[in-house]
Amino acid sequence: MAMMANTTIASGLPPLPAYESRPLPDLLPWISDFWLSLILPHIAYWVVSMLFHFVDVYDLFPQYRLHTPEEISQRNLASRYEVARDVLLEQVIQVGTSAVLNLLDDQQLTGHENYEVAVWATRIRLAQRGLPTILGLVGLNAGDLSKTIAGSYPLLAGALAGGFYPSLFELDGMAGTAVPAFASWEILLAKAIYWIIIPGIKFWLAAFVLDSWQYLWHRAMHMNKWMYTKWHARHHRLYVPYAYGALYNHPVEGFVLDTLGAAIAYKCSFMTSREGMFFFVGSMMKTVDDHCGYALPWDPLQHITSNNAAYHDIHHQSWGIKTNFSQPFFTTWDRILGTMWKGDSSIKYERTRAAAANKKKGVKGEELKDE
């Protein structure tokens, strides 16, 4: 580390700080990250599911329902028990897969964060060296501009001069000598890159990989009659989706589409184990929300993208089953490959609601005759 610091000083760059790595402490003091990562996504699944189930049972927001209670009881071909049983089976498989992933991961370390931020600040400083050339291409003299504003805006002047900050120094605690220092804006930008932009890119990449994987397999299961009949048809026994039925799948489909897809997305995005834990929790909550059966105007998960409960519900209807394959985050592949539902679906929903209501009236009429 001392050699690295000397190299940066010789080049006029601030020295990189020394650091000592150590194991990252657990997020919660009473449970290890290993076990937390196994159970937290499924806790999120059932907490969100039960919130929607409570809303369902007490019919709290009938104005936002995509389907009436009559439709749920008449059109679905799987009992609540069957749905809960198959969901729990898939979650057992997911816990096992998560355990394998965690055991294969390297131990996450901490203590190096300030060093990584300084590396990015160094890159920002080096990038500034190209500013005089770039400005020269449009006829501006960076040196003259820097001298003009040096008194009022010294940091901007330093950037225009190619990252030259003659007044920025700090005392090296080990050597006891003055060494170049980073500008405050360089450190802030470096922190934003390290703590926000890079994790954001990882999350976006993971979402893209998961969306791509699920779209291709999901569409294949609809195009291939054998795969649909053997695997995917089980999920479509819920013509009227509800929250905790989100993972109601054949075990093979559940593993290939959801579990394996999420694992591949995690690995392809180079997430840390803790980042992966939050990604899995977020994707699980999004999946539940997409099957909740409500178009809620104040639900943030339904407004992050256009792929939401109303969008996915169309796919569960007999008239929309060959469209809207994208899940769980974006509608990109439906748009690109022309499988997005087009047209007004409100009339079709009204027909199914009316049919369910008429059937209920007919049943009540028969009961009255019997009496």
Side-chain angles (χ1 to χ4, degrees), residues 144-258:
D144 290 343
L145 286 173
S146 176
K147 291 176 182 178
T148 301
I149 64 173
S152 303
Y153 306 100
L155 296 182
L156 179 57
L160 291 173
F164 180 63
Y165 301 89
S167 61
L168 289 182
F169 284 92
E170 62 184 1
L171 189 65
D172 187 331
M174 295 180 65
T177 58
V179 295
F182 291 111
S184 57
W185 73 269
E186 291 175 316
I187 293 295
L188 286 174
L189 180 55
K191 286 182 177 179
I193 292 172
Y194 182 75
W195 291 109
I196 300 174
I197 296 175
I198 292 177
I201 292 173
K202 289 180 183 179
F203 274 80
W204 180 89
L205 180 59
F208 175 77
V209 171
L210 182 58
D211 270 10
S212 301
W213 178 271
Q214 292 208 353
Y215 177 89
L216 294 174
W217 275 103
H218 189 191
R219 186 173 180 181
M221 288 182 187
H222 277 273
M223 299 298 106
N224 185 290
K225 186 176 180 180
W226 184 87
M227 284 199 294
Y228 183 83
T229 304
K230 293 293 183 180
W231 300 339
H232 193 53
R234 183 179 299 193
H235 185 69
H236 278 278
R237 294 178 72 191
L238 296 183
Y239 285 95
V240 184
Y242 47 83
Y244 73 81
L247 291 184
Y248 173 59
N249 299 309
H250 186 283
V252 174
E253 177 192 348
F255 177 75
V256 172
L257 199 70
D258 297 322

Side-chain angles (χ1 to χ4, degrees), residues 102-124:
N102 281 338
L103 292 172
L104 293 175
D105 279 341
D106 294 330
Q107 184 179 35
Q108 189 170 347
L109 302 175
T110 188
H112 61 276
E113 292 84 359
N114 288 338
Y115 173 83
E116 299 292 347
V117 169
V119 169
W120 277 106
T122 300
R123 291 167 179 160
I124 293 167

